[in-house]
Amino acid sequence: MDVSVTSRESGDRTVVEVRGEIDVYTAPVLREELTSLVDAQRTNLVVDLTQVSFMDSTGLGVLVGGLKKVRTLGGDLSLVIDQETILKVFRITALTQVFSIHSTLEDALA
């Protein structure tokens, strides 16, 4: 399955919507989007993963790398996850302590 990554402005934040599966083959698409946003000085990001059906360690690495980049520039990257299967990956790796994770986009933007 392919991945689709789009972004849009929402106030002072940028919402990155991801759809599909994030694995070793598709993670570069997400990495490129995050990098181009940071290059454009968009450092307050909300990554919406509610339409993601699968994520492997490569996807986690891309998100951790994005978080490090935006934090060095004084920004932040939060996540929207509403599926237990995806959230479980973050729990197992203890990344729930690193990322700000919300169950809805509205909560993340509030």
Side-chain angles (χ1 to χ4, degrees):
M1 179 174 205
D2 288 331
V3 69
S4 162
V5 181
T6 58
S7 59
R8 63 181 170 81
E9 304 304 315
S10 181
D12 65 339
R13 296 194 186 134
T14 302
V15 177
V16 180
E17 295 175 343
V18 187
R19 297 175 194 276
E21 297 181 355
I22 306 174
D23 57 25
V24 68
Y25 303 107
T26 60
V29 176
L30 178 58
R31 181 182 296 112
E32 289 170 19
E33 182 69 18
L34 295 177
T35 300
S36 69
L37 288 169
V38 171
D39 289 348
Q41 305 301 310
R42 299 304 299 178
T43 56
N44 287 313
L45 307 177
V46 176
V47 180
D48 184 348
L49 300 173
T50 57
Q51 299 299 313
V52 170
S53 55
F54 174 80
M55 179 181 294
D56 71 4
S57 59
T58 312
L60 292 176
V62 168
L63 291 172
V64 169
L67 179 66
K68 287 180 181 178
K69 280 183 187 175
V70 298
R71 283 198 176 156
T72 355
L73 299 170
D76 196 23
L77 186 154
S78 57
L79 304 174
V80 181
I81 303 172
D82 67 350
Q83 300 170 66
E84 186 56 38
T85 54
I86 303 296
L87 192 53
K88 187 176 184 180
V89 176
F90 285 84
R91 282 197 192 109
I92 290 170
T93 55
L95 289 174
T96 52
Q97 299 171 26
V98 176
F99 285 97
S100 173
I101 299 176
H102 306 273
S103 57
T104 67
L105 182 57
E106 292 75 27
D107 287 348
L109 294 172

